[in-house]
Amino acid sequence: MTIEISPLDGCKRLDPAAALFHSLGDPARLAIVKRMAHGEVRVSQLTSELGLAQSTVSTHVACLRDCGLVEGRAEGRSVYYSLTRPELMDMLAQAEVLLAATGNAVSLCPTYGTAAREKETAQESAR
């Protein structure tokens, strides 16, 4: 998919790209994708490897599956999840190149950077 913007359709054609980046915008989902780059994995394995609750991992895997980035293969009572498209890892590798080129600019972003996430977490804890 080539992302092009014309005056006639504005941001509308960017919706699929925005949804893709949003699906990868959670650190846990990104960690799950990176783990799946090394091969099939069950939710129970992700739970222990990532130190997250089973329900949290299941929700994130379902999100990735609904976006078409992950698929499950049933074997007996277990489901083994894997990436549907190896190009996803190519994209993430290019993101690493971009992050290296921009230095700390992204992590210092007042809207999406580290400080913004810490502020959001503190606000949630105060509730």
Side-chain angles (χ1 to χ4, degrees), residues 16-69:
L20 171 65
F21 288 116
H22 187 70
S23 71
L24 299 171
D26 185 279
R29 285 194 295 273
L30 198 52
I32 290 168
V33 166
K34 286 187 172 194
R35 169 54 183 86
M36 286 183 187
H38 300 289
E40 290 184 322
V41 64
R42 295 184 341 233
V43 167
S44 61
Q45 291 171 286
L46 289 168
T47 298
S48 62
E49 291 176 20
L50 301 176
L52 299 171
Q54 184 273 330
S55 60
T56 301
V57 172
S58 292
T59 299
H60 287 306
V61 169
C63 172
L64 293 167
R65 188 189 63 234
D66 292 345
C67 290
L69 301 175

Side-chain angles (χ1 to χ4, degrees), residues 5-121:
I5 301 174
S6 73
L8 298 176
D9 57 16
C11 293
K12 195 169 194 86
R13 294 190 68 199
L14 294 176
D15 288 350
L20 171 65
F21 288 116
H22 187 70
S23 71
L24 299 171
D26 185 279
R29 285 194 295 273
L30 198 52
I32 290 168
V33 166
K34 286 187 172 194
R35 169 54 183 86
M36 286 183 187
H38 300 289
E40 290 184 322
V41 64
R42 295 184 341 233
V43 167
S44 61
Q45 291 171 286
L46 289 168
T47 298
S48 62
E49 291 176 20
L50 301 176
L52 299 171
Q54 184 273 330
S55 60
T56 301
V57 172
S58 292
T59 299
H60 287 306
V61 169
C63 172
L64 293 167
R65 188 189 63 234
D66 292 345
C67 290
L69 301 175
V70 167
E71 62 188 356
R73 177 183 63 82
E75 186 174 298
R77 291 176 43 177
S78 298
V79 178
Y80 292 84
Y81 292 97
S82 62
L83 298 177
T84 58
R85 306 295 311 182
E87 297 90 346
L88 179 57
M89 296 316 298
D90 296 336
M91 185 187 78
L92 292 177
Q94 288 301 307
E96 294 289 340
V97 170
L98 180 60
L99 289 170
T102 61
N104 289 330
V106 174
S107 62
L108 295 175
C109 172
T111 305
Y112 298 110
T114 306
R117 283 196 316 272
E118 289 172 355
K119 181 179 177 184
E120 183 179 304
T121 302

